[in-house]
Amino acid sequence: VAAIASALGMKVVASSSRMAAIGQQGDITVVSLDELLETSDFVSIHCPLNANTKGLIGRVELAKMKPTAFLINTARGSIIDQDALVEALSSKQIAGAALDVFGEGSAPPPALPANHPLYSLDNVMLTPHIGWQRLETRQRVLSMVAENIASYSRGKPTNVVS
């Protein structure tokens, strides 16, 4: 995502709980989460779901975002407080959101009730956790599986977890 954003001329900033370990990463500037939220036009979430990230983006964090900003979540649904997001989108506190995951964020995400407020908003895009399913990505996965099978048959398995 960062490489594509940079290629499009965007200034890329990132935030991480491991910021000291990450430091400057090429054209990516590492900042605090508060600074990222306050200054970004697009906030794209790419972190695992764990005790530290569940509810990471709630009312307080959404209030820090620009009213012209867009929130993108392709990680796990419960990283964002969904009720707070509906409020922020309904009141136009932020410009919009694109969610490839919602609810608990499993793959595929659990179905939202038919009358869920996210369906009625004109500033949100919902996809059923298929953002990764580009042809190139699926081909790469198939190639890796084929190579793993071939390596295993030669007695030299790869990608072994012990």
Side-chain angles (χ1 to χ4, degrees):
V1 172
I4 292 169
S6 291
L8 293 171
M10 299 170 88
K11 177 184 174 191
V12 179
V13 297
S15 183
S16 172
S17 60
R18 302 176 300 134
M19 285 182 11
I22 292 175
Q24 183 77 23
Q25 297 287 311
D27 293 337
I28 301 172
T29 304
V30 179
V31 298
S32 69
L33 179 59
D34 286 345
E35 184 177 345
L36 183 144
L37 294 170
E38 292 165 359
T39 62
S40 297
D41 296 308
F42 297 90
V43 175
S44 186
I45 299 173
H46 303 273
C47 62
L49 176 62
N50 58 41
N52 296 321
T53 61
K54 185 169 185 164
L56 178 69
I57 305 296
R59 284 176 179 82
V60 170
E61 292 76 21
L62 291 164
K64 293 176 182 179
M65 293 177 66
K66 299 176 181 181
T68 54
F70 291 86
L71 181 63
I72 302 163
N73 188 9
T74 60
R76 290 292 181 245
S78 55
I79 292 171
I80 298 174
D81 176 335
Q82 196 165 273
D83 293 336
L85 179 61
V86 168
E87 289 174 18
L89 292 167
S90 297
S91 67
K92 308 293 188 201
Q93 183 177 8
I94 64 171
L99 307 174
D100 194 46
V101 289
F102 33 86
E104 288 303 308
S106 57
L112 295 172
N115 62 347
H116 195 281
L118 283 173
Y119 290 135
S120 64
L121 298 172
D122 63 358
N123 56 348
V124 66
M125 181 184 346
L126 303 171
T127 58
H129 204 43
I130 59 168
W132 68 276
Q133 292 187 346
R134 292 181 42 205
L135 177 61
E136 296 86 353
T137 304
R138 287 181 282 150
Q139 183 58 53
R140 191 171 39 236
V141 169
L142 289 173
S143 295
M144 287 172 36
V145 169
E147 179 55 35
N148 286 342
I149 291 169
S151 294
Y152 181 80
S153 68
R154 291 189 300 268
K156 297 180 181 184
T158 58
N159 294 333
V160 175
V161 178
S162 56

